[in-house]
Amino acid sequence: MDFGVVLQADPPASRTVDLARQAETHGFSHVWTFDSHLLWQEPFVIYSAILAATRRVTVGPMVTNPATRDWTVLASLFATLNEMYGNRTVCGIGRGDSAVRTLNGRPSDLATLREAIHVIRELANDRPADLGGRTVQFPWARGSRLDVWVAAYGPRALGLTGEVGDGFILQLADPDVARWMVRAVRDSAEAAGRDPGAVKICVAAPAYVGDGASPPERAHMREQCRWFGGMVGNHVAEIVRRYGTDSAIPRALTDYVRDREGYDYNEHGRAGSTHTTFVPDEIVERFCLLGSPHEHVERLRELEAIGCDQFAVYLQHDNKEETMRLYGERIIPAMAEHVVATTTTAP
């Protein structure tokens, strides 16, 4: 299993670059950032600085969208970074949330998302793409390579991911929900004639490492990560409006949003946000990874058994450096040892 970190591009940008450098030092393979240009700084400028300050990590947005970003400009950004730093980018993309809603816009429909994925991937992989009745191609992007990973929750979006995505980004770490969603993506890939195993699976969620034994410390961890249940609930509420509560979507994902009253994008992705009090402790524990290194390893092994290829740690809490350090010193090595042991004992 690979490991990534997900950062917000809060000023100063040098802090984001430093956290990315620390992540590489601790053995993380990917550095992702939010992409919402009103709420945070422009990530692609910062990607260039991160890539210059590191040697191995792959960088990309979690996630960009087809509405606020011109598709050809996005592809050019990725291809340029690849030329400069050696194919170390990945494109996470979805229909759009905070980037469009803060401008009173609407998320893109799935047909638009499908077309955008095709155009971005073709251009950033040095291939021609049809756009607006014209065939376009970058004459300078020789050797550029880019995978496009799709963030999805609802049934139709999961289907699209299986049909066209190089990877699937699932933004929650509940094994039961993950199992259902991964199956939906892989079934869709198989129905489209693709190899289901070729679609990489990235589970992304807040991870807070500490002892977690005392009730006050556990409560603090939950409060620092409760914002995530609100962010996920914002997506889930739209799915419930579209599909209702009696669909095939797991009840564990939909029931808790009944008490949701609204969402304040000024507090999007922030610990201590006031609009996420409706999120119960149980959901925080299920959607996030909290507690001792042993607790993290146990959950990660569950996710790995489901098919997770990467776990991306949201670091929007007050324990960033210590969580990365303990992942680097305890958790990532334990997961690697588990893989070696499993391989060695396999018949």
Side-chain angles (χ1 to χ4, degrees), residues 301 304 334-347:
R301 286 177 179 171
E304 187 176 52
M335 291 299 295
E337 290 172 6
H338 172 67
V339 170
V340 171
T342 302
T343 303
T344 301
T345 58

Side-chain angles (χ1 to χ4, degrees), residues 261-291:
E261 295 181 353
Y263 194 83
D264 183 358
Y265 279 99
N266 291 317
E267 295 183 330
H268 186 60
R270 306 237 182 234
S273 54
T274 59
H275 63 276
T276 59
T277 55
F278 73 94
V279 180
D281 289 349
E282 178 191 4
I283 288 295
V284 180
E285 294 277 357
R286 292 180 67 167
F287 285 10
C288 307
L289 271 67
L290 311 177

Side-chain angles (χ1 to χ4, degrees), residues 78 90-93 113 116-118 120-122 124-125 146-150 161 164-169:
F78 285 116
V90 61
C91 177
I93 193 168
L113 178 59
I117 290 169
H118 175 75
I120 293 165
R121 181 163 49 207
E122 294 306 291
N125 281 282
L146 179 76
D147 284 347
V148 181
W149 295 25
V150 186
T161 302
V164 303
D166 297 305
F168 167 44
I169 297 172

Side-chain angles (χ1 to χ4, degrees), residues 23-324:
E24 180 176 79
T25 299
H26 290 305
F28 291 87
S29 62
H30 288 69
V31 174
W32 305 85
T33 72
F34 287 50
D35 180 15
S36 192
H37 59 289
L38 291 183
L39 299 177
W40 299 286
Q41 293 178 312
E42 168 54 48
F44 281 88
V45 177
I46 299 174
Y47 294 157
S48 190
I50 290 173
L51 290 166
T54 57
R55 292 184 297 169
R56 298 180 305 278
V57 294
T58 296
V59 304
M62 187 180 282
V63 294
T64 192
N65 72 89
T68 60
R69 295 281 192 181
D70 180 277
W71 310 345
T72 61
V73 174
L74 266 177
S76 182
L77 287 166
F78 285 116
T80 301
L81 291 171
N82 284 341
E83 187 279 324
M84 293 173 70
Y85 300 106
N87 288 335
R88 290 167 57 197
T89 65
V90 61
C91 177
I93 193 168
R95 295 175 57 223
D97 183 38
S98 61
V100 295
R101 294 191 188 277
T102 51
L103 294 168
N104 289 327
R106 294 177 60 85
S108 301
D109 59 36
L110 291 179
T112 300
L113 178 59
R114 181 190 295 271
E115 186 181 2
I117 290 169
H118 175 75
V119 170
I120 293 165
R121 181 163 49 207
E122 294 306 291
L123 292 178
N125 281 282
D126 191 24
R127 297 191 293 261
D130 293 330
L131 184 64
R134 179 178 180 182
T135 299
V136 295
Q137 184 173 9
F138 300 141
W140 48 266
R142 294 178 182 175
S144 177
R145 295 294 177 264
L146 179 76
D147 284 347
V148 181
W149 295 25
V150 186
Y153 288 108
R156 291 178 59 223
L158 294 170
L160 171 66
T161 302
E163 291 169 8
V164 303
D166 297 305
F168 167 44
I169 297 172
L170 170 57
Q171 292 164 304
L172 57 84
D174 180 284
D176 293 334
V177 177
R179 189 175 292 107
W180 178 81
M181 290 193 170
V182 169
R183 186 183 305 117
V185 168
R186 288 185 167 163
D187 287 349
S188 173
E190 186 173 17
R194 304 181 67 198
D195 175 8
V199 183
K200 298 296 184 181
I201 308 297
C202 175
V203 170
Y208 195 119
V209 187
D211 179 58
S214 71
E217 183 182 6
R218 195 75 179 199
H220 178 75
M221 291 181 178
R222 287 195 294 264
E223 287 308 313
Q224 284 290 301
C225 298
R226 197 175 303 277
W227 64 267
F228 185 69
M231 185 184 82
V232 172
N234 199 42
H235 296 285
V236 172
E238 182 175 344
I239 294 171
V240 170
R241 284 193 296 269
R242 176 169 297 184
Y243 296 99
T245 57
D246 297 323
S247 67
I249 302 168
R251 298 293 292 272
L253 184 61
T254 59
D255 281 357
Y256 82 99
V257 299
R258 291 175 180 173
D259 296 327
R260 176 182 177 272
E261 295 181 353
Y263 194 83
D264 183 358
Y265 279 99
N266 291 317
E267 295 183 330
H268 186 60
R270 306 237 182 234
S273 54
T274 59
H275 63 276
T276 59
T277 55
F278 73 94
V279 180
D281 289 349
E282 178 191 4
I283 288 295
V284 180
E285 294 277 357
R286 292 180 67 167
F287 285 10
C288 307
L289 271 67
L290 311 177
S292 67
H294 175 74
E295 289 179 276
H296 285 248
V297 170
E298 289 298 303
R299 177 76 69 83
L300 288 167
R301 286 177 179 171
E302 284 189 80
L303 295 170
E304 187 176 52
I306 294 168
C308 177
D309 298 291
Q310 180 183 154
F311 178 66
V313 178
Y314 277 98
L315 284 174
Q316 286 67 53
H317 53 60
D318 63 2
N319 198 40
K320 295 178 177 64
E321 279 90 350
E322 183 67 359
T323 290
M324 283 197 292

